[in-house]
Amino acid sequence: MRKGFHRLAVVESTTVGKGTRVWAFAHVMKGACVGARCNLGEGVFIESGVVLGDDVTVKNGVALYDGVTVADEAFLGPHAVFTNDLRPRSGRFKRPPSKFAATNVGRGATIGANATVVCGHDVGAYAMVAAGAVVTKDVPPYALYAGVPARRVGFVCACGEKLPQSLRCSCKRRYRRSGAGLVAVAARGPTSP
Ligand SMILES: [Zn+2]
């Protein structure tokens, strides 16, 4: 077993980036694409069509099904739920995978513990979904969504702090409104998200 993979992990994929750690009882199916320096917690399941970027954290008990894509530095909290079929049926009315809906989690976004992301929606870059929320529509970049169904209750900085009305964070990052979300405003000197 490769260094960083627990001996009780089942890693069938050959495309797992350097430095990625896989804890016990996690299962990464053949064909799944996992970037570098990810951390896949205990009991994580990753289906064959899933794509994870670099530096993604997937906490214990999260299952990612075909159609889910997760960008770099995203954080998926413990037992967050993802789906891939908007009209799930079994038996005679079971739908083919071609009818499944995609879910994209943007760069640096956070999905809180036990939150549910109903498929067919995008969670924007650096957005934050609160614990237990149920996402039923797209979440704009830097938006803070909470509740069932989830609604916007504010905006957050890339650093994770809730932003004041001024959209200036104590960490010096600044933002302006753009569509339903925010974009970072370049400050003097080197900028990072
Ligand atoms: Zn900040």
Side-chain angles (χ1 to χ4, degrees):
M1 187 54 80
R2 195 173 109 173
K3 187 170 175 285
F5 294 180
H6 192 280
R7 65 186 173 82
L8 295 178
V10 178
V11 182
E12 297 168 313
S13 168
T14 54
T15 49
V16 177
K18 272 190 180 167
T20 286
R21 292 190 300 151
V22 185
W23 296 19
F25 313 116
H27 183 187
V28 181
M29 285 183 71
K30 187 175 184 196
C33 192
V34 178
R37 301 173 304 279
C38 293
N39 196 2
L40 309 182
E42 199 156 304
V44 164
F45 172 69
I46 300 187
E47 208 170 17
S48 55
V50 170
V51 177
L52 261 61
D54 296 333
D55 301 292
V56 173
T57 297
V58 186
K59 301 299 278 186
N60 293 9
V62 176
L64 300 175
Y65 303 105
D66 287 350
V68 177
T69 300
V70 182
D72 296 349
E73 294 188 309
F75 178 98
L76 310 181
H79 300 277
V81 172
F82 291 81
T83 68
N84 66 358
D85 190 348
L86 283 171
R87 308 275 181 271
R89 292 290 201 202
S90 190
R92 286 179 301 138
F93 299 106
K94 190 172 177 177
R95 292 148 56 83
S98 61
K99 298 278 188 190
F100 290 174
T103 297
N104 298 298
V105 178
R107 181 185 175 88
T110 296
I111 310 297
N114 207 40
T116 298
V117 181
V118 175
C119 59
H121 301 107
D122 293 341
V123 177
Y126 300 102
M128 189 170 285
V129 173
V134 176
V135 172
T136 58
K137 54 186 170 185
D138 288 349
V139 177
Y142 299 96
L144 172 60
Y145 265 54
V148 181
R151 297 181 197 287
R152 186 170 64 77
V153 295
F155 288 106
V156 290
C157 180
C159 78
E161 289 294 324
K162 193 171 178 184
L163 286 165
Q165 289 282 343
S166 64
L167 302 181
R168 291 163 182 249
C169 185
S170 55
C171 77
K172 308 287 190 217
R173 289 181 178 84
R174 296 162 52 204
Y175 301 88
R176 63 176 170 79
R177 295 292 294 262
S178 175
L182 301 183
V183 290
V185 175
R188 274 172 295 184
T191 56
S192 61

